[in-house]
Amino acid sequence: MRTASLVLAALAAGLGQAQYLINELSFGIDSKLSHDESPGTIPHYHVNGQPNRPDVLSNKVILTPMGIGNQRASIWGERTLQRDDWVADIDFRANGPERASGNINIWLAKDGRATVQENSVYTVGRFEGLVLVIDQYGGSGGMLRGFLNDGTKDYAHQTNIDALAFGHCQVSYRNLGRPSQIKLHHAGGHFKVEIDGHKCFESDKIALPQGYTFGITAATPENPDSFEIFKLTVMSETVDPRHTQQTNNNNNNNQNNQNNQQAAPGGFDNPEDAFKQSIPDKSADTFQTSAQQFADLHNRLQSTYHQLAAVYRSVTAHHAVDEQRHKEVQEMVQNIRADLKRLDKVDSLERTVEDLKRDVASLRDTLDRRISSHETSFRGALTDHHRQLSERMADSIPGHGKLIFILIGTQVVLAGVYIVYKRRKMAGPKKYL
């Protein structure tokens, strides 16, 4: 018995830092999102929309359909988060035409279903909690921003909501052909947001209290994007404190009923809690009757059974998480293969560009040679033309002797005409007054 206890203790110590899936806060883990008993619904979550209700399929929720604008939709949990350290994974996809837009909001808010409803961060009003917004802010192509509110700020009447963001990063999320994963980490006052395995932003000054509710909302304008949700998983390193407290109360009642002699722990989700309530060793001399020996043996066997059951539940939860991680790894490998195929196309494109560069260089050399040849021919033809024109002009212009003869001849003729005119005037009859 002591050897078995040591083995179980070693197993529990190895699983002490494990992540435990919180089923009542998660969906999309099983093969079907909506069960056959209640089609169109999600266990532990409320689905609403205006003016149309979102479509809940077997593997995803279509919050805003393609081609139908001015839609608002929401998914809000029924249970509150009772953990201080937790990790949340959300897989979503956004598709739409080139100029479509919209926003998707991930909430962890107090009374979110009643206070937030189907609103986005731009229309919500007063709320208490956290919201992450993914949209095409400022024409950036994609932006993830985080906002906090203690219930005092009315976001619907803020003139500059963007200034209230405590963290942001650029993301590419539209028309990827695959889901995008957003992961939220919260532990010990440290908060971190990752998208597709890359850190977006983090802060060591954010501590969210317990009692908030997870929710997802989406809103689209007249030209909409289609937002699809595939899963929301919430995990933690601890179990629900309410459940642990209830179990401890039951154990205390059982211990009182047995007059503080024996303890029979059971119903623990965390193996460490089961081992903390293990029955202490006692000397054989303390058992005077066979009934006491049988009761001690019964309690120890029952304690061992509960410890083994707790370990089995832990292993089962880890197996489910490992299966999910295996699927994610397979999807990542497929995406890498698709990227490698696209890289092959890029190599072919580079070769084509190189061939085109060589052709353009050859064409440029040919053009340079032809232009130079034409320039030489044109220059020669122009020189010949100028020479011939000069010769013709020289032949057509009279010499200096001819010009002098013409000038002197013209003056002699004019002088002769003038002399004749004078003689005739003097030879005429005289007139007397």
Side-chain angles (χ1 to χ4, degrees):
M1 180 69 68
R2 186 175 183 84
T3 303
S5 299
L6 291 175
V7 172
L8 292 175
L11 290 173
L15 297 173
Q17 300 299 323
Q19 294 284 346
Y20 295 91
L21 182 67
I22 308 176
N23 291 315
E24 63 270 16
L25 300 181
S26 306
F27 64 83
I29 305 172
D30 301 331
S31 57
K32 288 186 177 182
L33 187 65
S34 179
H35 298 304
D36 296 334
E37 294 80 6
S38 56
T41 62
I42 303 176
H44 309 298
Y45 275 85
H46 295 278
V47 181
N48 295 300
Q50 297 178 1
N52 301 320
R53 188 177 184 273
D55 293 330
V56 181
L57 306 181
S58 61
N59 63 336
K60 63 182 178 181
V61 182
I62 303 177
L63 290 176
T64 56
M66 185 80 71
I68 303 178
N70 301 317
Q71 293 285 321
R72 294 183 180 273
S74 66
I75 304 175
W76 283 104
E78 296 176 348
R79 307 287 183 88
T80 58
L81 178 62
Q82 299 296 329
R83 306 292 195 282
D84 290 325
D85 59 286
W86 47 267
V87 177
D89 289 347
I90 300 95
D91 286 0
F92 77 98
R93 182 168 62 188
N95 298 312
E98 180 179 359
R99 297 185 179 180
S101 61
N103 58 74
I104 183 170
N105 306 260
I106 301 171
W107 301 84
L108 182 59
K110 183 178 180 180
D111 299 329
R113 186 186 175 196
T115 58
V116 179
Q117 300 178 355
E118 287 79 41
N119 288 296
S120 67
V121 71
Y122 303 104
T123 60
V124 63
R126 299 180 186 274
F127 72 97
E128 181 179 343
L130 165 75
V131 57
L132 300 181
V133 184
I134 303 107
D135 59 4
Q136 301 181 70
Y137 163 71
S140 59
M143 185 75 73
L144 191 156
R145 293 172 293 159
F147 298 87
L148 290 171
N149 192 6
D150 57 359
T152 60
K153 295 183 178 65
D154 188 349
Y155 271 51
H157 294 85
Q158 291 291 323
T159 57
N160 187 11
I161 293 179
D162 305 325
L164 301 178
F166 69 90
H168 69 276
C169 68
Q170 290 188 350
V171 297
S172 177
Y173 69 96
R174 297 183 69 250
N175 300 323
L176 299 180
R178 60 168 176 82
S180 299
Q181 183 188 55
I182 295 180
K183 181 175 289 187
L184 289 72
H185 301 260
H186 181 270
H190 186 269
F191 181 73
K192 181 172 67 173
V193 177
E194 298 178 356
I195 181 164
D196 291 335
H198 302 285
K199 183 178 74 173
C200 179
F201 58 85
E202 63 180 337
S203 174
D204 57 356
K205 299 180 181 179
I206 297 176
L208 299 172
Q210 299 180 9
Y212 287 176
T213 307
F214 277 105
I216 302 173
T217 65
T220 58
E222 186 173 354
N223 193 13
D225 272 333
S226 175
F227 291 105
E228 302 170 345
I229 305 298
F230 292 87
K231 75 167 185 178
L232 167 59
T233 60
V234 183
M235 294 178 290
S236 177
E237 294 182 358
T238 59
V239 297
D240 192 340
R242 294 173 301 177
H243 178 71
T244 304
Q245 182 178 3
Q246 182 179 0
T247 305
N248 292 334
N249 292 334
N250 293 334
N251 291 334
N252 292 333
N253 292 333
N254 292 333
Q255 188 173 6
N256 293 331
N257 292 334
Q258 295 177 5
N259 296 322
N260 298 323
Q261 291 182 357
Q262 308 294 338
F268 293 93
D269 290 334
N270 192 339
E272 287 186 349
D273 294 335
F275 281 98
K276 289 178 182 178
Q277 298 294 331
S278 60
I279 301 175
D281 294 335
K282 294 184 179 181
S283 175
D285 296 337
T286 58
F287 303 104
Q288 303 297 329
T289 63
S290 59
Q292 292 178 348
Q293 294 176 353
F294 177 77
D296 179 71
L297 179 62
H298 172 268
N299 291 332
R300 292 183 183 276
L301 289 175
Q302 190 176 28
S303 175
T304 302
Y305 168 77
H306 288 308
Q307 292 170 358
L308 289 174
V311 173
Y312 175 76
R313 286 193 296 270
S314 177
V315 172
T316 302
H318 278 282
H319 178 71
V321 175
D322 291 341
E323 288 292 332
Q324 183 66 24
R325 292 290 183 264
H326 179 65
K327 293 180 181 179
E328 294 176 357
V329 171
Q330 286 182 334
E331 293 178 358
M332 292 177 62
V333 170
Q334 293 177 357
N335 294 332
I336 291 173
R337 289 177 178 175
D339 293 338
L340 290 176
K341 291 181 180 179
R342 286 195 289 269
L343 288 177
D344 293 337
K345 294 181 180 179
V346 171
D347 293 338
S348 176
L349 181 61
E350 288 181 352
R351 289 192 295 270
T352 303
V353 170
E354 290 295 333
D355 295 339
L356 184 60
K357 287 173 63 177
R358 286 193 294 270
D359 293 340
V360 170
S362 177
L363 180 60
R364 184 179 61 186
D365 294 338
T366 302
L367 287 175
D368 289 340
R369 289 194 298 270
R370 291 190 177 182
I371 290 173
S372 178
S373 177
H374 282 293
E375 182 182 0
T376 304
S377 301
F378 179 75
R379 185 177 296 172
L382 187 61
T383 302
D384 294 339
H385 179 71
H386 285 173
R387 186 177 62 254
Q388 294 176 3
L389 183 61
S390 299
E391 293 175 354
R392 291 177 182 176
M393 290 180 64
D395 294 339
S396 61
I397 295 175
H400 295 288
K402 292 181 179 181
L403 290 174
I404 294 172
F405 176 77
I406 291 172
L407 292 174
I408 294 174
T410 304
Q411 291 179 359
V412 172
V413 172
L414 291 175
V417 172
Y418 179 74
I419 293 171
V420 172
Y421 170 75
K422 283 290 186 178
R423 288 180 178 180
R424 287 184 179 182
K425 185 175 181 183
M426 293 179 62
K430 297 182 180 179
K431 296 181 178 181
Y432 297 97
L433 297 176

